[in-house]
Amino acid sequence: DILPALRRSQMYINVDNIGYTDEEIAAFAKSNPDTLNMEEILYAATLTDDNAEKLRIYKTASKNFPGCFRAKNAIGYVYMKEGKLNEAKQAFGEAQAIKDNEVIKNNLGAVALAQGDLATAESLLTSAMGAGDEVNYNLGIIKIMQGDYASAVNYFGNKASFNAALAQLLNGDVDKSLATLNELGESDYALVYYLKAVAGARSNKEEVLINNLRLAVEKDAGLKAHAKKDAEFIQYNANEAFIGIVE
């Protein structure tokens, strides 16, 4: 009479909520973007490598979700990749008006840097220090341009990059610069090898100079004329191997 009334059952249901497939999201982004929520339409832009299509999708996202600062920021990013700095600046500014964000400040700083406004770039980047390594990298570029090579080295830190190696070389640490360039491994960027050649010249390592200058001009024949008159190589103007590369 008593126990049956105290008995109860608990039922648990595990459900996987499966949304649209990538193919469906991509199709809806073209034919019926209103079907997609904010996350889905932002994701749709990552499914294409076509910048024009990315821009169209991000603009649609911004229109459908006007309070989404990420859409505006993404629009600015695409414009930045295409070299349309004024359009990028406007889009980043609109994103910043929606939400004061350190990442967007970094992006605005990158635009200012690309436009040659170092004072504005440095101010924006300094105020965006919490946005990640990209801020330090951009500040490192500014310090190179200002001739403060020691500060540039500090901003680039220990992560290998062409600009980090350039800062190290300009700061007088030739061996460290070569070590950083070697960390990059094989590269399609001709200036990596050209900078190695300069480092070889500064450290009187003829083999390093010749081998890397040869690779540099193989990847960019236009560097021949530059190397021929580059003061870094002046002591090699009569060197047969050097002449064979630049002529």
Side-chain angles (χ1 to χ4, degrees):
D1 293 334
I2 297 175
L3 293 178
L6 297 177
R7 294 189 184 120
R8 63 192 180 94
S9 297
Q10 289 182 313
M11 298 181 66
Y12 297 93
I13 301 176
N14 294 322
V15 178
D16 289 331
N17 186 11
I18 301 174
Y20 298 123
T21 65
D22 286 0
E23 291 76 13
E24 288 172 329
I25 288 176
F28 282 134
K30 290 182 178 180
S31 63
N32 193 9
D34 292 345
T35 304
L36 304 175
N37 62 35
M38 185 173 70
E39 297 300 330
E40 289 168 339
I41 196 168
L42 291 175
Y43 178 69
T46 69
L47 300 177
T48 177
D49 294 325
D50 184 346
N51 282 339
E53 179 63 9
K54 282 180 181 289
L55 189 60
R56 185 194 67 78
I57 294 172
Y58 285 135
K59 284 184 175 182
T60 300
S62 179
K63 178 183 177 182
N64 290 357
F65 305 96
C68 178
F69 75 93
R70 289 183 294 163
K72 290 288 189 183
N73 185 60
I75 290 170
Y77 173 74
V78 176
Y79 277 135
M80 191 81 174
K81 287 186 68 176
E82 294 183 338
K84 298 178 179 179
L85 299 180
N86 290 331
E87 291 88 342
K89 182 178 180 180
Q90 180 177 342
F92 290 141
E94 291 172 358
Q96 185 73 357
I98 296 172
K99 183 175 181 179
D100 188 18
N101 184 286
E102 291 179 341
V103 171
I104 301 171
K105 284 182 181 178
N106 171 69
N107 294 342
L108 284 167
V111 172
L113 176 57
Q115 292 179 326
D117 187 351
L118 299 189
T120 298
E122 187 169 13
S123 176
L124 284 165
L125 293 169
T126 302
S127 67
M129 292 299 290
D133 293 340
E134 291 81 1
V135 178
N136 287 335
Y137 187 87
N138 288 330
L139 284 168
I141 293 173
I142 290 175
K143 291 306 176 184
I144 288 179
M145 297 173 73
Q146 291 175 338
D148 186 355
Y149 305 130
S151 294
V153 169
N154 288 333
Y155 276 122
F156 288 128
N158 295 321
K159 187 174 182 179
S161 69
F162 174 85
N163 284 328
L166 175 62
Q168 290 159 354
L169 183 67
L170 293 171
N171 198 44
D173 196 342
V174 180
D175 290 340
K176 180 63 176 175
S177 177
L178 273 173
T180 298
L181 290 166
N182 287 333
E183 282 187 55
L184 297 177
E186 294 185 8
S187 175
D188 292 327
Y189 189 37
L191 288 181
V192 168
Y193 299 102
Y194 193 92
L195 189 60
K196 280 187 180 182
V198 171
R202 289 196 178 190
S203 57
N204 296 314
K205 297 176 180 177
E206 182 178 329
E207 185 177 357
V208 173
L209 185 164
I210 297 300
N211 289 343
N212 285 286
L213 186 59
R214 183 177 291 110
L215 286 170
V217 300
E218 284 176 1
K219 294 180 180 298
D220 183 357
L223 290 174
K224 284 187 179 183
H226 185 79
K228 192 174 182 179
K229 61 183 180 181
D230 193 335
E232 296 284 354
F233 307 128
I234 193 168
Q235 62 181 327
Y236 294 93
N237 282 344
N239 183 288
E240 290 185 6
F242 178 80
I243 294 171
I245 294 172
V246 300
E247 292 296 343

